[in-house]
Amino acid sequence: MSGVGGGTRDKITRLQELLERVQMRAAARGGEHAHETHETHETHEGTAARTSPPPAMYDERGMSEAPPTPAYDAAYASVHPASEPSVPPEADEYEVEVSSEVVEVDIDIDEPMPLESGAQPVAQQTMPPDELIEEDQPMTREPSMRPPAESREEEVVHAAPPANEIEEPTPSSSRRPIAGEEASTEAYEAESSPRHTPPPESGKQVAAPSAHPPSRKPSAPPPSLEGHTLIGGWREPGLGTPQISPAAGMGTGVRVPAPPPSAPHAGYGARPSGTEPPATVVHGAGVAAQASGTRLTADVTQPELSSGANVASFTGAPAIDKPKTLGELLDLTLGL
Amino acid sequence: MASSSFDPTGAVRFDLRSGSASDSRGERLVLVPSAALDLLSSEALAKIGEHLGRECGASVAARLGGESGVRASDVETVISHLAGELAIAGIGAVHVERWGRALLVVVSNASVNDDAFVGAVLAAAMSAASGRGVAAAALGRNAGEARYFLGSAATAERVRGLVGQGQSYAEVVASLQGGAS
């Protein structure tokens, strides 16, 4: 418990640092916003309060900062109803950001940690602060839902719960036994193989729309995949995290071994999705291996023939004249 | 009752007092050296041989009960009597071969090595004994033995043609079997 508490404190301190950085960046941006739409600040105070972290993250991701539409506000309000009361209407934009984030994050982190194994804090400690910032991406992803891309909508559907990103690492390691119980052996093998497909939890973190657009084009995993975990690791474009079924979606921080240079996409053969051309190459190679592996042997069947068979049969006898008297003999010879 | 075996007793009688030679029936005989016959032509020899053979055949028939008795007798009996008569006449040793349906007479140690003479003797003897017209045709000589075909005159003429073509007696006899109807 002490280790868990210490990890929580570290995370809190990091979050506080993050907030400070967000505030600083927001302050830098605040001047610009103040010049542009001073009136709109008043009308959209609630909206700005809800999306307090995103402005900073938008800057990092290079996302558009277009003000949310009323429809989006309504949808966001339905998803995050608790965040609204905490924002006073007259409060400053930056104050709202700090209050809403600090309260919710601390609560979410402390609850699941004691329930999970003690090995999780170790995994959290290994994560650099930058990755912790990436864990906040779901919050910044919500504005990114605004582009009408279908793939983005799917991700939103699967990542619908309020993005308490900080608690994600914990369920990722805690779901291992659950997945082992539910999923079949094949599914487990398919997932344990280096498919480079992130689990649902990690998919939230990594799925930055701008970084990896949902293109269907094939791509190879980065060469520096050695030692990277699936959480926050390389994600195959075209395979969004929501595509992983919940049963097989074992959010595990499985370390991905270095892909062999000869068959980097060997894991795709287990689950053909039809979206990656390299899979076709792998299939072709598999067929060739089967063809060369199977040997054709002739099944020889020889007939059994007996050499002593009485094939020819004779009936009757040639007419041999054997005369008894001289008269008969003379008749024969005179008859020639 | 005709005897199955040939009995040469009394076949030639010499009367030294009268200086005559005769057969069993009293017919006179002339003992002629065989070399004297070689001076004769084939046609003459054929006539002498035909006469000689008819006398031998007639003796067989006398012994075997006539021509019908000869035909009714078995081959061995007839050949034994015939060979006996030819032996007393000094023609040579005679025996018979039957090749299928063909009757061949083999003459060895012949006194006169002329086929016309021997053939005439054999044909005349068989004809006189059995009462059926039989012709003879020489098939060749082999190791001191001369073979003669006995049959119809037409077939004998055919054999002479085949032998003239150089065929062996076996080939001729074989060809005769195929042409038989």
Side-chain angles (χ1 to χ4, degrees):
Chain A
M1 295 295 292
S2 62
V4 174
T8 305
R9 294 192 193 96
D10 294 340
K11 183 165 285 189
I12 291 171
T13 55
R14 291 173 184 173
L15 291 173
Q16 290 176 353
E17 293 176 357
L18 174 62
L19 289 174
E20 291 175 358
R21 291 169 58 186
V22 169
Q23 290 175 358
M24 291 176 64
R25 293 180 181 179
R29 294 266 180 163
E32 298 177 357
H33 285 283
H35 292 293
E36 292 177 354
T37 56
H38 188 72
E39 294 178 355
T40 55
H41 273 285
E42 295 178 0
T43 57
H44 296 288
E45 278 180 357
T47 303
R50 297 184 205 107
T51 59
S52 55
M57 302 312 295
Y58 289 159
D59 295 339
E60 292 179 357
R61 300 292 178 180
M63 301 295 290
S64 64
E65 295 182 5
T69 59
Y72 172 74
D73 294 340
Y76 187 84
S78 62
V79 174
H80 301 278
S83 62
E84 292 182 1
S86 63
V87 180
E90 300 80 9
D92 190 5
E93 179 180 0
Y94 312 120
E95 292 176 357
V96 172
E97 294 173 358
V98 172
S99 62
S100 63
E101 185 169 12
V102 168
V103 173
E104 294 181 0
V105 166
D106 292 342
I107 292 171
D108 294 339
I109 291 172
D110 292 338
E111 290 179 356
M113 289 298 290
L115 299 176
E116 303 302 331
S117 63
Q120 297 175 357
V122 176
Q124 292 180 354
Q125 290 176 358
T126 57
M127 298 176 67
D130 294 338
E131 293 184 358
L132 289 175
I133 294 173
E134 291 181 355
E135 292 178 356
D136 296 335
Q137 288 179 358
M139 298 182 67
T140 63
R141 187 190 307 162
E142 294 174 357
S144 65
M145 293 166 55
R146 300 177 67 180
E150 296 179 359
S151 59
R152 294 298 98 197
E153 293 177 0
E154 292 177 356
E155 287 187 359
V156 170
V157 171
H158 289 276
N164 294 330
E165 297 80 9
I166 300 176
E167 64 178 350
E168 290 176 359
T170 301
S172 66
S173 62
S174 64
R175 290 185 181 180
R176 288 179 179 176
I178 297 173
E181 294 174 358
E182 296 178 354
S184 63
T185 306
E186 297 178 355
Y188 177 76
E189 292 177 356
E191 291 297 331
S192 61
S193 61
R195 296 183 65 258
H196 312 301
T197 302
E201 290 77 10
S202 62
K204 296 178 182 177
Q205 300 170 1
V206 183
S210 61
H212 298 284
S215 64
R216 295 297 182 182
K217 294 180 179 180
S219 65
S224 62
L225 198 58
E226 175 68 31
H228 284 208
T229 59
L230 291 177
I231 300 175
W234 175 83
R235 182 169 64 90
E236 176 183 349
L239 289 177
T241 52
Q243 294 179 359
I244 299 174
S245 61
M250 295 165 292
T252 59
V254 178
R255 286 193 174 274
V256 180
S262 60
H265 300 283
Y268 293 141
R271 181 183 295 177
S273 61
T275 59
E276 55 279 356
T280 59
V281 176
V282 172
H283 285 304
V287 172
Q290 292 177 358
S292 61
T294 58
R295 288 185 176 180
L296 296 177
T297 58
D299 186 6
V300 180
T301 302
Q302 295 182 349
E304 296 180 358
L305 298 176
S306 61
S307 59
N310 187 8
V311 178
S313 61
F314 300 93
T315 59
I320 299 175
D321 299 329
K322 188 174 182 180
K324 295 181 179 179
T325 63
L326 181 66
E328 296 175 355
L329 177 59
L330 289 175
D331 293 339
L332 292 175
T333 188
L334 292 174
L336 292 174
Chain B
M1 188 70 185
S3 171
S4 61
S5 60
F6 175 69
D7 183 7
T9 304
V12 179
R13 294 179 182 178
F14 292 93
D15 183 357
L16 295 177
R17 190 177 297 180
S18 60
S20 65
S22 62
D23 55 9
S24 58
R25 292 175 297 168
E27 296 289 334
R28 303 275 305 260
L29 300 176
V30 179
L31 298 177
V32 179
S34 59
L37 297 176
D38 291 340
L39 298 174
L40 302 174
S41 61
S42 295
E43 296 176 355
L45 290 174
K47 291 182 178 179
I48 295 171
E50 180 179 358
H51 184 85
L52 181 59
R54 184 178 304 110
E55 292 294 330
C56 292
S59 300
V60 172
R63 294 177 181 270
L64 295 176
E67 296 176 352
S68 59
V70 172
R71 292 193 297 268
S73 302
D74 54 51
V75 178
E76 289 80 5
T77 300
V78 177
I79 296 300
S80 297
H81 285 267
L82 184 59
E85 293 294 335
L86 294 175
I88 291 173
I91 302 301
V94 175
H95 70 273
V96 175
E97 295 179 353
R98 188 175 59 85
W99 290 69
R101 300 168 58 182
L103 173 62
L104 273 64
V105 179
V106 180
V107 180
S108 59
N109 194 22
S111 58
V112 180
N113 292 325
D114 186 274
D115 293 334
F117 174 77
V118 176
V121 171
L122 297 175
M126 185 62 69
S127 297
S130 63
R132 318 253 325 245
V134 174
L139 291 173
R141 298 179 183 270
N142 184 13
E145 294 179 345
R147 285 182 172 81
Y148 299 90
F149 167 75
L150 297 183
S152 64
T155 305
E157 188 63 26
R158 181 182 173 190
V159 169
R160 294 188 190 96
L162 293 175
V163 171
Q165 295 177 0
Q167 295 185 4
S168 63
Y169 73 95
E171 294 174 348
V172 173
V173 171
S175 63
L176 292 178
Q177 304 299 325
S181 59

